[in-house]
Amino acid sequence: MKIRFFISFICILVLSGCGYSLSSVEKNYRVTNINTEGNIKANFKLKNKILITSLKGSSNLIELNIKTKIDKSIKEKNISNQINKYQIIITTLVNYKSLNKDKEGKFEIIKVGNYNVSNKYSQTLNNEKRIINSLINEIADEINENLSLSFNDS
């Protein structure tokens, strides 16, 4: 019994140390200019989030063009044809250009969220605002991650 326990303990110890670790991606770029198109509120929040995380002393200067589109559609209706849920789709197209190097690229981010309709209209608007802010935060994080990966390769 002790030998079985010892062998299984050694196997677990050896197999759990497989060497996998999360890669830490450093930001090594500075955003000098952001041109926006589309939804004004979403672009304002995206622009602020990206500029806050941008490194001030970096030699990699980049320019961003961001085009954002928010679509709201009905997701669910009940039997009496009243709306129960809405679906929000935020599509963001990001074009980046390095000012120091000859590096350009683009990527698209699509985020989808749902929110419930409440009995009070003000609560429904709050639900919509909350989901939009959450999706915008996710988009900003993904933009920063994609830019970091693009400029760490070179």
Short mmCIF file of all heavy atoms in Angstrom, two decimals, residues 11-42:
data_model
loop_
_atom_site.label_atom_id
_atom_site.label_comp_id
_atom_site.label_asym_id
_atom_site.label_seq_id
_atom_site.Cartn_x
_atom_site.Cartn_y
_atom_site.Cartn_z
N CYS A 11 4.61 10.00 -9.63
CA CYS A 11 4.04 10.21 -10.96
C CYS A 11 3.31 11.56 -11.04
O CYS A 11 3.48 12.30 -12.02
CB CYS A 11 3.07 9.09 -11.32
SG CYS A 11 3.89 7.54 -11.70
N ILE A 12 2.55 11.88 -10.04
CA ILE A 12 1.84 13.17 -10.03
C ILE A 12 2.84 14.31 -9.98
O ILE A 12 2.69 15.32 -10.68
CB ILE A 12 0.86 13.23 -8.84
CG1 ILE A 12 -0.30 12.27 -9.09
CG2 ILE A 12 0.34 14.65 -8.62
CD1 ILE A 12 -1.25 12.12 -7.93
N LEU A 13 3.87 14.18 -9.20
CA LEU A 13 4.88 15.22 -9.07
C LEU A 13 5.62 15.43 -10.39
O LEU A 13 5.82 16.57 -10.83
CB LEU A 13 5.88 14.84 -7.98
CG LEU A 13 6.92 15.89 -7.63
CD1 LEU A 13 6.24 17.12 -7.06
CD2 LEU A 13 7.91 15.33 -6.64
N VAL A 14 5.97 14.36 -11.07
CA VAL A 14 6.69 14.47 -12.34
C VAL A 14 5.79 15.01 -13.44
O VAL A 14 6.19 15.87 -14.23
CB VAL A 14 7.28 13.09 -12.73
CG1 VAL A 14 7.80 13.11 -14.16
CG2 VAL A 14 8.38 12.69 -11.77
N LEU A 15 4.56 14.53 -13.51
CA LEU A 15 3.66 14.93 -14.58
C LEU A 15 3.12 16.36 -14.40
O LEU A 15 2.81 17.02 -15.38
CB LEU A 15 2.49 13.96 -14.71
CG LEU A 15 2.87 12.56 -15.18
CD1 LEU A 15 1.64 11.66 -15.18
CD2 LEU A 15 3.49 12.61 -16.56
N SER A 16 3.02 16.82 -13.18
CA SER A 16 2.49 18.17 -12.98
C SER A 16 3.54 19.24 -13.27
O SER A 16 3.20 20.39 -13.53
CB SER A 16 1.97 18.34 -11.55
OG SER A 16 3.05 18.26 -10.63
N GLY A 17 4.79 18.90 -13.27
CA GLY A 17 5.84 19.86 -13.59
C GLY A 17 6.20 19.80 -15.06
O GLY A 17 7.36 19.62 -15.42
N CYS A 18 5.21 20.01 -15.92
CA CYS A 18 5.43 19.83 -17.36
C CYS A 18 6.17 21.01 -18.00
O CYS A 18 6.53 20.95 -19.15
CB CYS A 18 4.11 19.59 -18.07
SG CYS A 18 2.99 20.99 -17.98
N GLY A 19 6.34 22.10 -17.27
CA GLY A 19 7.09 23.22 -17.82
C GLY A 19 6.24 24.27 -18.48
O GLY A 19 6.75 25.26 -18.99
N TYR A 20 4.94 24.10 -18.49
CA TYR A 20 4.07 25.09 -19.10
C TYR A 20 3.99 26.30 -18.19
O TYR A 20 3.76 26.20 -16.99
CB TYR A 20 2.68 24.52 -19.32
CG TYR A 20 1.71 25.52 -19.88
CD1 TYR A 20 1.75 25.87 -21.22
CD2 TYR A 20 0.78 26.15 -19.07
CE1 TYR A 20 0.88 26.79 -21.74
CE2 TYR A 20 -0.09 27.08 -19.58
CZ TYR A 20 -0.04 27.39 -20.92
OH TYR A 20 -0.90 28.32 -21.43
N SER A 21 4.21 27.46 -18.76
CA SER A 21 4.04 28.69 -17.98
C SER A 21 3.42 29.76 -18.87
O SER A 21 3.57 29.74 -20.09
CB SER A 21 5.39 29.18 -17.45
OG SER A 21 6.23 29.52 -18.53
N LEU A 22 2.72 30.66 -18.25
CA LEU A 22 2.09 31.74 -19.00
C LEU A 22 3.16 32.71 -19.47
O LEU A 22 4.08 33.04 -18.74
CB LEU A 22 1.08 32.48 -18.12
CG LEU A 22 -0.13 31.67 -17.69
CD1 LEU A 22 -0.95 32.48 -16.69
CD2 LEU A 22 -0.98 31.32 -18.88
N SER A 23 3.03 33.16 -20.69
CA SER A 23 4.00 34.11 -21.20
C SER A 23 3.60 35.50 -20.75
O SER A 23 2.44 35.89 -20.81
CB SER A 23 4.05 34.06 -22.73
OG SER A 23 2.82 34.47 -23.26
N SER A 24 4.56 36.24 -20.27
CA SER A 24 4.28 37.60 -19.86
C SER A 24 4.68 38.51 -21.01
O SER A 24 5.83 38.55 -21.43
CB SER A 24 5.05 37.95 -18.60
OG SER A 24 6.42 37.86 -18.84
N VAL A 25 3.71 39.20 -21.55
CA VAL A 25 3.95 40.06 -22.70
C VAL A 25 4.12 41.47 -22.19
O VAL A 25 3.24 42.01 -21.52
CB VAL A 25 2.77 39.97 -23.69
CG1 VAL A 25 2.99 40.90 -24.85
CG2 VAL A 25 2.58 38.55 -24.16
N GLU A 26 5.26 42.05 -22.50
CA GLU A 26 5.54 43.41 -22.06
C GLU A 26 5.09 44.39 -23.13
O GLU A 26 5.19 44.13 -24.32
CB GLU A 26 7.03 43.59 -21.80
CG GLU A 26 7.55 42.76 -20.67
CD GLU A 26 9.03 42.98 -20.44
OE1 GLU A 26 9.58 43.97 -20.97
OE2 GLU A 26 9.62 42.17 -19.75
N LYS A 27 4.64 45.53 -22.66
CA LYS A 27 4.27 46.59 -23.60
C LYS A 27 5.52 47.38 -23.91
O LYS A 27 6.17 47.90 -23.03
CB LYS A 27 3.21 47.49 -22.98
CG LYS A 27 1.88 46.79 -22.76
CD LYS A 27 0.90 47.73 -22.12
CE LYS A 27 -0.43 47.08 -21.94
NZ LYS A 27 -0.48 46.08 -20.93
N ASN A 28 5.87 47.45 -25.17
CA ASN A 28 7.07 48.19 -25.57
C ASN A 28 6.75 49.14 -26.71
O ASN A 28 7.47 49.23 -27.68
CB ASN A 28 8.20 47.24 -25.94
CG ASN A 28 7.84 46.36 -27.10
OD1 ASN A 28 6.70 46.29 -27.51
ND2 ASN A 28 8.82 45.69 -27.65
N TYR A 29 5.63 49.84 -26.60
CA TYR A 29 5.23 50.77 -27.65
C TYR A 29 4.57 51.99 -27.00
O TYR A 29 4.13 51.95 -25.86
CB TYR A 29 4.25 50.12 -28.63
CG TYR A 29 2.99 49.61 -27.98
CD1 TYR A 29 1.88 50.44 -27.82
CD2 TYR A 29 2.89 48.31 -27.51
CE1 TYR A 29 0.73 49.99 -27.22
CE2 TYR A 29 1.76 47.85 -26.91
CZ TYR A 29 0.68 48.70 -26.77
OH TYR A 29 -0.46 48.24 -26.17
N ARG A 30 4.57 53.06 -27.75
CA ARG A 30 3.87 54.28 -27.31
C ARG A 30 2.94 54.73 -28.42
O ARG A 30 3.35 54.87 -29.57
CB ARG A 30 4.87 55.38 -26.99
CG ARG A 30 4.19 56.60 -26.39
CD ARG A 30 5.17 57.63 -25.99
NE ARG A 30 5.17 58.65 -27.04
CZ ARG A 30 6.07 59.58 -27.17
NH1 ARG A 30 7.10 59.61 -26.36
NH2 ARG A 30 5.98 60.47 -28.13
N VAL A 31 1.70 54.92 -28.08
CA VAL A 31 0.71 55.36 -29.04
C VAL A 31 0.78 56.89 -29.12
O VAL A 31 0.60 57.57 -28.11
CB VAL A 31 -0.71 54.91 -28.64
CG1 VAL A 31 -1.74 55.40 -29.63
CG2 VAL A 31 -0.76 53.40 -28.52
N THR A 32 1.08 57.40 -30.30
CA THR A 32 1.20 58.84 -30.45
C THR A 32 -0.10 59.48 -30.93
O THR A 32 -0.40 60.61 -30.57
CB THR A 32 2.31 59.20 -31.46
OG1 THR A 32 2.01 58.58 -32.70
CG2 THR A 32 3.65 58.74 -30.96
N ASN A 33 -0.85 58.75 -31.74
CA ASN A 33 -2.07 59.32 -32.30
C ASN A 33 -3.10 58.22 -32.48
O ASN A 33 -2.77 57.12 -32.95
CB ASN A 33 -1.76 59.99 -33.65
CG ASN A 33 -2.93 60.78 -34.16
OD1 ASN A 33 -3.83 61.14 -33.42
ND2 ASN A 33 -2.91 61.06 -35.46
N ILE A 34 -4.34 58.53 -32.12
CA ILE A 34 -5.44 57.59 -32.33
C ILE A 34 -6.53 58.32 -33.10
O ILE A 34 -7.09 59.30 -32.62
CB ILE A 34 -6.00 57.05 -31.00
CG1 ILE A 34 -4.93 56.30 -30.22
CG2 ILE A 34 -7.20 56.15 -31.27
CD1 ILE A 34 -5.40 55.78 -28.88
N ASN A 35 -6.81 57.84 -34.30
CA ASN A 35 -7.91 58.37 -35.10
C ASN A 35 -9.08 57.41 -34.95
O ASN A 35 -8.92 56.20 -35.09
CB ASN A 35 -7.52 58.47 -36.58
CG ASN A 35 -6.33 59.38 -36.77
OD1 ASN A 35 -6.25 60.43 -36.16
ND2 ASN A 35 -5.40 58.96 -37.60
N THR A 36 -10.26 57.96 -34.66
CA THR A 36 -11.42 57.11 -34.41
C THR A 36 -12.53 57.42 -35.40
O THR A 36 -12.64 58.53 -35.91
CB THR A 36 -11.94 57.30 -32.98
OG1 THR A 36 -12.30 58.66 -32.80
CG2 THR A 36 -10.92 56.89 -31.96
N GLU A 37 -13.34 56.40 -35.62
CA GLU A 37 -14.49 56.49 -36.51
C GLU A 37 -15.58 55.61 -35.94
O GLU A 37 -15.31 54.55 -35.40
CB GLU A 37 -14.08 55.93 -37.89
CG GLU A 37 -14.61 56.67 -39.07
CD GLU A 37 -14.12 56.02 -40.34
OE1 GLU A 37 -12.92 56.11 -40.62
OE2 GLU A 37 -14.96 55.41 -41.02
N GLY A 38 -16.83 56.04 -36.03
CA GLY A 38 -17.92 55.22 -35.55
C GLY A 38 -18.54 55.77 -34.29
O GLY A 38 -18.67 56.99 -34.11
N ASN A 39 -18.89 54.88 -33.37
CA ASN A 39 -19.56 55.24 -32.13
C ASN A 39 -18.66 56.12 -31.27
O ASN A 39 -17.57 55.72 -30.87
CB ASN A 39 -19.96 53.97 -31.38
CG ASN A 39 -20.84 54.27 -30.21
OD1 ASN A 39 -20.40 54.83 -29.23
ND2 ASN A 39 -22.10 53.89 -30.32
N ILE A 40 -19.12 57.32 -30.96
CA ILE A 40 -18.29 58.32 -30.28
C ILE A 40 -17.98 57.92 -28.84
O ILE A 40 -16.83 58.00 -28.40
CB ILE A 40 -18.99 59.70 -30.33
CG1 ILE A 40 -19.12 60.17 -31.78
CG2 ILE A 40 -18.24 60.73 -29.50
CD1 ILE A 40 -20.00 61.37 -31.95
N LYS A 41 -19.00 57.47 -28.09
CA LYS A 41 -18.78 57.10 -26.68
C LYS A 41 -17.83 55.92 -26.55
O LYS A 41 -16.92 55.92 -25.73
CB LYS A 41 -20.11 56.76 -26.01
CG LYS A 41 -20.95 57.94 -25.67
CD LYS A 41 -22.19 57.50 -24.93
CE LYS A 41 -23.08 58.67 -24.62
NZ LYS A 41 -24.27 58.28 -23.87
N ALA A 42 -18.05 54.90 -27.36
CA ALA A 42 -17.19 53.71 -27.29
C ALA A 42 -15.76 54.06 -27.68
O ALA A 42 -14.81 53.61 -27.03
CB ALA A 42 -17.74 52.62 -28.21
#
